[in-house]
Amino acid sequence: PRAEDTVTMTVSYAEYQPHVGDQDALKLTVAAAVQETGQVLAKELLVRLHTPELTLTLLGPAVVGQEVPVQVVFQNPLPEPLTGASLRMEGAGISCPKPVSL
């Protein structure tokens, strides 16, 4: 009576990866049944996945009318290589004619 217990369950990347797609969230549902009363309990939780940051660094002086090289750093947090990735820079007065494939 009045007892509380904690159960830990692990969801591996391999289990949820095929279901994530372009979304950055997981919807978890937990259900429990109480044998003594027949009561069913359920709870849902929306988990937002953290996406890595892009770090931009100017590699030279930014002078009007001149090109400036920009370094972009991104760390892949996944246990597998990324494929089909590309970068595109946009901004006021900035045009990148085509994405840079990675």
Side-chain angles (χ1 to χ4, degrees):
R2 307 252 186 243
E4 181 178 304
D5 197 4
T6 300
V7 177
T8 302
M9 301 173 78
T10 301
V11 180
S12 71
Y13 175 70
E15 289 177 287
Y16 71 79
Q17 183 271 334
H19 308 287
V20 175
D22 292 337
Q23 300 180 21
D24 59 353
L26 296 175
K27 184 176 180 181
L28 303 175
T29 303
V30 176
V34 180
Q35 290 179 346
E36 293 81 5
T37 64
Q39 184 180 17
V40 177
L41 309 167
K43 181 74 176 180
E44 287 186 349
L45 176 65
L46 184 63
V47 178
R48 305 283 305 171
L49 301 174
H50 295 282
T51 55
E53 295 288 326
L54 289 176
T55 303
L56 304 174
T57 305
L58 292 179
L59 298 179
V63 178
V64 174
Q66 295 182 8
E67 291 185 358
V68 60
V70 178
Q71 178 186 53
V72 180
V73 177
F74 167 83
Q75 183 175 359
N76 177 8
L78 303 175
E80 61 187 45
L82 293 176
T83 59
S86 64
L87 292 175
R88 182 177 55 232
M89 186 177 298
E90 298 176 2
I94 298 173
S95 63
C96 186
K98 61 182 177 178
V100 176
S101 295
L102 306 174

